[in-house]
């Protein structure tokens, strides 16, 4: 029997997830979720408008301004309210990242791989459009999307820089850094994932992520907080990177509570430090979100 | 600044923002951001985006919302259906204008409003003998940019 590359990949990765404690099918989906843009409106005002248009909304209990949305006859990504920037389409686990960073108006925040700007606009909203938010991305095409999002969402506390986040000199240090690192992604949000991904990609991404982590530590002021996030289920890009960070930098992990599961402390038979359980994972089978990983560290 | 000022005058604005230039784009900084020192190298976007110079000044959605909040700017108000046609790039027939702030005069420019927010701007003119608000910019541009980006 001939097995396609896609089928072989699928089996390979699903076997890995089973070894990590999750029997995934590879067909899990995540619902459409909106985030109310509090820079421009309130939850109550937007809910009244959207429900009046026939949209069914259900609050996501662990999100401050996130609602699962069932469309009714029109695209939520092309309504007048969307174009006015009253809400964004942003998956639940992704929304939890900026919420966990918990920036405030007194912070100077860096979003290291910012485009297309879903989390950047969320950070600006949490900061009440005050303080100072730096957004960096290496890809000018994606920065274009970031700029459009900042404009649409009414963000005015942000500076956007084009360049490689590992080498760009921004001339300042930051109290909070979001490193939503380029990663292998996951099959829930990418239907071609099993066809296009291999373990080599995972290893290559893990190396890039370590370079970005070094840059993040350099930019963080002492006592500052880094939130590391990926939408990858692969431990090489997640717990193993965090273990490397703890070994090589002066940082402490901060426990992340809420929905989802603790970080892994054993990966494919390899024991990791117990403190890695302070990291946080979203799994597609138990959380009905995309695969997502979060780690919060403080520079000591 | 010349094109930006001309645009502001056209819609009846008294605003005189201090503009920061990055290529053809124009920005203004909040007092809080203006007090901070930051590197200009590799900077592509800063603070409040006002719009960009092309043949004419292309206002941003941010600037339009600022103008919508300004008393004295000329505005026409639409209902949901007319506003949707406008953000789809259509001109608006005079009879679909629900309310006017200022006097409706041929050749003048108007912010196009829906539910207290600005969805674009246009010029009141005669087209094939019919009086319309001719669409010069609308928020559907965000989707059109995605399509071409």
């Amino acid at each position: 029997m001939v097995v396609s590359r896609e089928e072989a990949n699928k089996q390979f990765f699903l076997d890995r997830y089973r070894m990590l404690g999750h029997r995934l099918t590879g067909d899990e989906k995540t619902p459409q979720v909106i985030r109310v843009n509090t820079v421009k409106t309130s939850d109550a005002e937007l809910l009244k408008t959207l429900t009046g248009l026939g949209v069914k909304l259900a609050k996501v209990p662990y999100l401050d301004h996130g609602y699962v949305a069932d469309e009714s006859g029109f695209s939520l990504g092309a309504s007048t309210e969307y174009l006015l920037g009253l809400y964004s389409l942003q998956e639940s686990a992704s929304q939890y990242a900026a919420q966990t960073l918990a920036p405030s108006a007194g912070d100077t925040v860096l979003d290291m791989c910012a485009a297309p700007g879903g989390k950047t606009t969320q950070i600006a909203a949490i900061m009440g459009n005050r303080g100072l938010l730096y957004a960096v991305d290496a890809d000018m095409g994606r920065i274009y999307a970031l700029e459009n999002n900042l404009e649409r969402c009414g963000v005015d506390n942000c500076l956007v820089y084009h360049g490689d986040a590992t080498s760009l000199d921004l001339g300042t240090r930051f109290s909070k850094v979001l490193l939503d690192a380029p990663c292998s992604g996951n099959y829930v949000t990418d239907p071609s994932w099993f066809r296009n991904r291999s373990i080599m990609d995972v290893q290559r991404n893990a190396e890039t992520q370590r370079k970005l982590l070094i840059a993040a530590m350099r930019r963080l002021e002492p006592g500052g907080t880094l939130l590391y996030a990926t939408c990858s289920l692969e431990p090489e890009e997640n717990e193993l990177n965090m273990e490397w960070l703890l070994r090589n930098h002066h940082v402490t992990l901060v426990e992340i509570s809420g929905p989802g599961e603790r970080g892994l402390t054993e990966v494919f038979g390899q024991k990791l430090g117990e403190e890695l359980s302070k990291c946080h994972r979203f799994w597609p089978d138990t959380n009905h979100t995309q695969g997502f990983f979060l780690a919060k560290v403080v520079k000591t | 600044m010349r094109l930006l000022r001309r645009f502001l005058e056209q819609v009846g604005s008294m605003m005189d923002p201090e503009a920061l230039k990055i290529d053809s784009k124009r920005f203004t900084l909040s007092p809080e951001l203006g007090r901070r020192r930051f590197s200009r190298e590799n900077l592509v976007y800063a603070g409040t985006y006002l719009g960009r110079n092309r043949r004419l000044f292309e206002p941003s959605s941010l600037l339009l919302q600022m103008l919508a909040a300004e008393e004295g700017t000329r505005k026409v108000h639409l209902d949901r259906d007319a506003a949707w046609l406008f953000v789809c790039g259509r001109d608006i027939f005079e009879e679909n204008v629900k309310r006017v702030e200022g006097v409706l005069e041929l050749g003048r420019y108007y912010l196009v409003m829906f539910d207290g927010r600005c969805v674009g701007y246009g010029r009141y003119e005669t087209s094939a003998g019919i009086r319309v608000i001719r669409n010069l910019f609308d928020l559907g541009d965000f989707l059109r940019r995605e399509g071409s980006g």
Side-chain angles (χ1 to χ4, degrees):
Chain A
M1 191 177 79
V2 179
V3 178
S4 68
R5 178 183 161 178
E6 183 173 359
E7 273 304 310
N9 268 350
K10 186 173 180 178
Q11 204 49 59
F12 172 77
F13 281 106
L14 293 182
D15 283 347
R16 275 166 58 94
Y17 306 146
R18 194 166 50 248
M19 284 189 265
L20 300 175
H22 284 261
R23 290 188 175 276
L24 301 174
T25 65
D27 298 317
E28 287 83 1
K29 300 274 182 270
T30 183
Q32 179 164 247
V33 177
I34 66 164
R35 174 175 55 79
V36 180
N37 179 16
T38 54
V39 169
K40 291 198 164 189
T41 189
S42 65
D43 288 36
E45 190 184 353
L46 183 70
L47 261 58
K48 189 177 165 195
T49 303
L50 291 183
T51 51
L53 293 171
V55 182
K56 291 190 177 72
L57 295 162
K59 179 88 168 61
V60 180
Y62 54 87
L63 296 178
D64 293 339
H65 302 286
Y67 297 82
V68 172
D70 274 336
E71 290 181 27
S72 176
F74 67 93
S75 164
L76 279 167
S79 71
T80 307
E81 284 70 19
Y82 173 81
L83 296 171
L84 281 164
L86 305 187
Y87 64 88
S88 290
L89 303 176
Q90 190 180 358
E91 205 266 346
S92 296
S94 163
Q95 287 191 44
Y96 202 62
Q99 226 178 267
T100 303
L101 181 65
S104 70
D107 280 317
T108 302
V109 180
L110 170 62
D111 186 353
M112 279 182 70
C113 304
K119 295 180 193 73
T120 318
T121 53
Q122 187 184 5
I123 289 170
I126 296 171
M127 295 171 81
N129 226 355
R130 301 193 58 204
L132 189 47
L133 170 58
Y134 285 65
V136 173
D137 208 277
D139 183 333
M140 201 59 211
R142 283 165 57 83
I143 282 182
Y144 191 55
L146 167 65
E147 291 179 341
N148 284 341
N149 262 325
L150 293 172
E151 179 190 348
R152 187 179 61 83
C153 294
V155 173
D156 58 19
N157 67 339
C158 188
L159 303 171
V160 179
Y161 290 86
H162 175 221
D164 182 344
T166 61
S167 57
L168 200 61
D169 180 13
L170 296 170
T172 191
R173 284 193 172 193
F174 298 88
S175 52
K176 296 217 164 86
V177 173
L178 172 65
L179 172 52
D180 181 21
C183 68
S184 303
N186 67 91
Y187 65 84
V188 177
T189 52
D190 177 5
S192 62
W193 196 85
F194 288 119
R195 189 163 60 244
N196 296 330
R197 283 285 174 244
S198 73
I199 194 68
M200 299 295 283
D201 297 323
V202 172
Q203 284 155 357
R204 201 167 34 245
N205 282 325
E207 279 174 33
T208 304
Q209 289 151 359
R210 288 183 186 190
K211 288 179 189 153
L212 286 163
L213 281 165
I214 293 168
M217 296 319 299
R218 212 171 47 231
R219 299 241 156 78
L220 208 53
E221 62 188 30
T225 302
L226 164 70
L227 190 84
Y228 175 76
T230 75
C231 58
S232 168
L233 286 165
E234 315 311 318
E236 293 85 347
E237 302 182 61
N238 299 326
E239 287 87 351
L240 294 179
N241 270 347
M242 282 303 109
E243 191 185 51
W244 171 86
L245 185 70
L246 292 172
R247 254 200 333 264
N248 292 286
H249 290 269
H250 297 289
V251 294
T252 53
L253 265 171
V254 177
E255 179 143 5
I256 299 173
S257 58
E261 295 181 13
R262 288 171 171 271
L264 303 168
T265 53
E266 186 176 339
V267 171
F268 310 131
Q270 180 189 345
K271 289 264 185 212
L272 309 177
E274 275 305 311
E275 59 188 322
L276 286 161
S277 68
K278 292 176 178 173
C279 302
H280 212 72
R281 270 181 174 263
F282 286 84
W283 286 92
D285 54 343
T286 47
N287 300 113
H288 309 292
T289 64
Q290 63 174 323
F292 215 82
F293 176 84
L294 295 170
K296 191 173 184 177
V297 299
V298 172
K299 184 175 178 178
T300 51
Chain B
M1 283 298 279
R2 189 173 51 85
L3 293 178
L4 168 59
R5 287 218 173 87
R6 185 191 295 168
F7 169 75
L8 293 172
E9 283 166 19
Q10 282 171 343
V11 294
S13 172
M14 304 298 282
M15 202 188 290
D16 185 18
E18 229 175 87
L20 171 79
K21 284 195 224 177
I22 302 176
D23 301 324
S24 64
K25 293 177 286 188
R26 300 291 179 270
F27 298 86
T28 192
L29 303 179
S30 66
E32 190 175 357
L33 205 53
R35 281 194 296 274
R36 309 286 284 263
R37 287 164 60 98
F38 54 85
S39 168
R40 302 285 170 103
E41 202 177 338
N42 301 109
L43 184 69
V44 294
Y45 187 104
T48 309
Y49 175 49
L50 297 175
R52 63 179 168 174
N53 283 345
R54 289 206 159 167
R55 192 172 61 81
L56 298 171
F57 184 76
E58 279 185 8
S60 71
S61 163
L62 276 157
L63 177 60
L64 292 176
Q65 303 317 321
M66 288 158 70
L67 294 171
E70 183 183 342
E71 267 186 52
T73 49
R74 285 184 284 276
K75 303 174 184 99
V76 293
H77 294 260
L78 308 181
D79 65 15
R80 175 175 287 281
D81 291 342
W84 175 245
L85 290 174
F86 187 77
V87 299
C88 291
R90 306 280 286 274
D91 298 337
I92 297 298
F93 294 128
E94 184 181 12
E95 59 263 34
N96 286 329
V97 173
K98 271 172 54 184
R99 186 163 66 87
V100 181
E101 286 182 59
V103 181
L104 207 51
E105 284 180 61
L106 283 170
R108 281 197 182 272
Y109 294 79
Y110 294 84
L111 301 172
V112 177
M113 305 288 294
F114 164 64
D115 203 19
R117 293 184 164 94
C118 185
V119 294
Y121 84 103
R123 188 168 183 262
Y124 183 48
E125 57 186 53
T126 305
S127 173
I130 298 167
R131 290 189 168 186
V132 295
I133 303 291
R134 184 182 168 81
N135 183 327
L136 296 176
F137 173 82
D138 65 79
L139 296 187
D141 195 53
F142 284 120
L143 299 176
R144 295 189 281 273
R145 288 179 214 172
E146 280 174 23
S148 64

